[in-house]
Structure formats: C-alpha cells, structure tokens
C-alpha cells in the first residue's frame, strides 16, 4: 500500500483509516496485481447535522499512519463485516427520510467497534508498547543531557512522536493507555524530575536552570514547577 511517498505491507484482516486530503494507492512494484478488499467511502456532507459530525474528531485513528493500522481477529472481522452489510443493505433500500440517519448510525457503530478493537490492540501489543515507552524515556533523557533543550526549546509531543516514527495521535493514545497520563503530562513529569536534579547545583540560578531546560521565560518554569510540586524552585532548593 502506497501512502504519500512511502509504502507499507499490509495483511488480510487489516483496517486503515483515511481522512480528507490523504492520498493512498496500491503499488504492485511492477507486478500485475488485483487488490481485494472493502472500502467505506463517504462525503463529509453525509454527516452534516448529525451527532457524528461533532464527534468524528474524537476518532483519533483517522490521523494514524498506515503502518499503525488496526489488525483484526477473525471474530472482530465478522463484526466489522456485519456493520458493512448493514450499511450496504440500507444503501440498497429506496431512499426515504430515515435513510441518512440509519446509514450514519451504522457508520458510528462501526467506528465505535474500531475504538474498542484499538484499545484491545494496545493491550495485546504490550511488549511493543513497552519498547516504545523505554525509547521515549531515553529520548527525553538524551534531549535534556545533550543540550537540545537549551537550543531547541521544550520537547513537544509532535517532536517525540516523529523521533519514534509514530504519528502524534497514535503516540499520544499509546502513552495514555500505557501510563494513564497524556504524553504532555509525561514529558512535563520528566522535565520536573530533571529540574529537581539540577536545582541541587547551587551555582546555577533559577533563571539559568529555566534556560537550560528550554523555557523562554523563567516565570513559565516557576509556574509549572509549583503546579507540579506545590513549591517554587527556590522553595524546593531550600527544603531539599
């Protein structure tokens, strides 16, 4: 499967989600192939005036990369196929005042099942996720100790996701499932741990430490530190 400028392998029973503006296709690498599968394609106007129009942004997997696809079990595939059949049956009916709401309701049902199955996938792929979490921790450790924070500023969720070759949404969802905290909270927690260590060096002022950690303004560092610890950096230094 070609997605943008990259290609990915995919298997039977794999679901990918494509949002507006994304381009994909099948690359046979000079071989003649006959792709097989099912696609549910709908115009955004179909959702106009429905609850799904307001909630569609909550289905974060539309921003995942193709290599972060959903891999279904046989039982899950049957459920997804049942959803497809219900939508197809409704499309084949004569259009009436109930058609739109029934089609959209079945699309929403399908997406909700996919949310459940992604949650299952995060759990069953724990060994992979743990490896990503370890790499994430090492990435942050290197970011602070190598001086990148001083030169590049505070590490962002997007930056960390890119360094780990993940989409920001998939990365954020994975960290939330693994730690119970958002990726930003996790980054800030590691940032405060680093700040606590540096505060033991009494030769450095709070302003120096804020600059070293990547804060543009000392007051932003002080505010975050107090928010996370209940103490200002100076109070922590005195009490430590």
């Amino acid at each position: 499967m070609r997605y943008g400028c990259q290609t990915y392998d995919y298997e039977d029973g794999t679901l990918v989600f494509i949002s507006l503006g994304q381009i994909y296709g099948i690359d046979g690498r000079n071989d003649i192939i006959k792709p097989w599968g099912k696609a549910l394609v709908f115009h955004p106007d179909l959702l106009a005036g429905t609850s799904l129009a307001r909630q569609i942004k909550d289905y974060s997997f539309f921003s995942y990369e193709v290599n972060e696809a959903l891999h279904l079990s046989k039982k899950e595939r049957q459920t997804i196929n049942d959803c497809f059949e219900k939508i197809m049956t409704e499309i084949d009916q004569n259009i009436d005042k109930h058609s739109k709401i029934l089609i959209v309701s079945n699309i929403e049902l399908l997406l909700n099942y996919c949310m459940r199955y992604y949650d299952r996938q995060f759990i069953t792929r724990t060994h992979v996720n743990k490896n990503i979490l370890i790499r994430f921790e090492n990435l942050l450790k290197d970011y602070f100790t190598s001086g990148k924070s001083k030169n590049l500023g505070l590490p962002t969720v997007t930056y960390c996701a890119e360094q780990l070759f993940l989409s920001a949404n998939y990365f954020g969802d994975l960290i939330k499932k693994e730690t119970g905290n958002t990726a930003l909270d996790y980054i800030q927690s590691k940032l405060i741990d680093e700040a606590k260590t540096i505060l033991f060096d009494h030769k450095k002022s709070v302003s120096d430490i804020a600059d070293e950690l990547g804060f543009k303004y000392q007051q932003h560092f002080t505010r975050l530190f107090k928010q996370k610890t209940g103490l200002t950096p100076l109070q922590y230094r005195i009490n430590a």
Side-chain angles (χ1 to χ4, degrees):
M1 176 172 286
R2 180 170 291 280
Y3 178 79
C5 297
Q6 302 181 64
T7 56
Y8 302 94
D9 293 330
Y10 64 100
E11 300 173 350
D12 192 24
T14 299
L15 264 178
V16 295
F17 301 85
I18 311 295
S19 61
L20 284 172
Q22 294 176 315
I23 299 174
Y24 82 103
I26 305 298
D27 183 0
R29 294 173 181 160
N30 298 322
D31 293 329
I32 298 175
I33 60 172
K34 186 178 180 181
W36 182 92
K38 297 179 181 178
L40 172 63
V41 185
F42 56 90
H43 195 282
D45 286 354
L46 176 66
L47 308 184
T50 69
S51 60
L52 185 55
R54 297 187 296 273
Q55 297 169 359
I56 193 74
K57 63 181 181 300
D58 296 332
Y59 298 98
S60 53
F61 44 72
F62 278 108
S63 297
Y64 289 177
E65 300 288 352
V66 171
N67 61 325
E68 298 159 349
L70 178 58
H71 302 280
L72 300 172
S73 68
K74 288 185 178 180
K75 189 174 182 180
E76 291 168 348
R77 285 175 62 188
Q78 184 58 54
T79 300
I80 295 300
N81 278 324
D82 289 344
C83 289
F84 270 94
E85 289 298 324
K86 287 184 174 67
I87 294 170
M88 182 61 71
T89 299
E90 191 55 43
I91 290 173
D92 288 341
Q93 298 279 355
N94 291 327
I95 296 177
D96 59 29
K97 64 179 182 180
H98 302 288
S99 299
K100 176 177 176 177
I101 190 64
L102 288 171
I103 292 172
V104 172
S105 295
N106 280 296
I107 291 175
E108 186 170 11
L109 178 64
L110 184 149
L111 295 178
N112 285 333
Y113 272 120
C114 292
M115 287 281 280
R116 167 185 278 182
Y117 298 154
Y118 255 118
D119 281 350
R120 182 270 309 156
Q121 184 163 290
F122 279 123
I123 294 171
T124 56
R125 291 169 62 87
T126 297
H127 63 291
V128 177
N129 298 343
K130 290 294 184 185
N131 180 50
I132 292 173
L133 190 57
I134 292 171
R135 288 164 56 204
F136 181 31
E137 290 182 348
N138 290 335
L139 173 68
L140 291 175
K141 184 184 298 183
D142 174 72
Y143 195 89
F144 293 124
T145 58
S146 66
K148 289 180 182 177
S149 53
K150 183 178 178 63
N151 296 323
L152 302 178
L154 297 174
T156 65
V157 173
T158 299
Y159 171 85
C160 292
E162 289 175 349
Q163 296 302 305
L164 297 171
F165 305 103
L166 298 169
S167 67
N169 275 24
Y170 185 89
F171 173 65
D173 290 345
L174 185 152
I175 297 301
K176 180 70 173 178
K177 294 291 189 305
E178 284 295 312
T179 68
N181 295 316
T182 66
L184 179 59
D185 284 338
Y186 196 88
I187 290 172
Q188 290 179 342
S189 175
K190 294 299 179 181
L191 179 67
I192 295 303
D193 287 344
E194 185 68 19
K196 288 178 179 178
T197 300
I198 302 175
L199 279 166
F200 282 106
D201 185 351
H202 289 259
K203 296 178 182 178
K204 295 181 179 179
S205 67
V206 173
S207 178
D208 291 337
I209 296 172
D211 183 58
E212 183 177 332
L213 291 172
F215 286 90
K216 287 186 177 181
Y217 305 104
Q218 176 188 325
Q219 56 266 39
H220 291 173
F221 167 56
T222 300
R223 186 185 305 125
L224 179 64
F225 193 93
K226 186 171 184 179
Q227 176 187 333
K228 296 294 185 180
T229 67
L231 299 170
T232 66
L234 280 177
Q235 290 171 335
Y236 180 85
R237 172 176 276 175
I238 293 171
N239 293 331

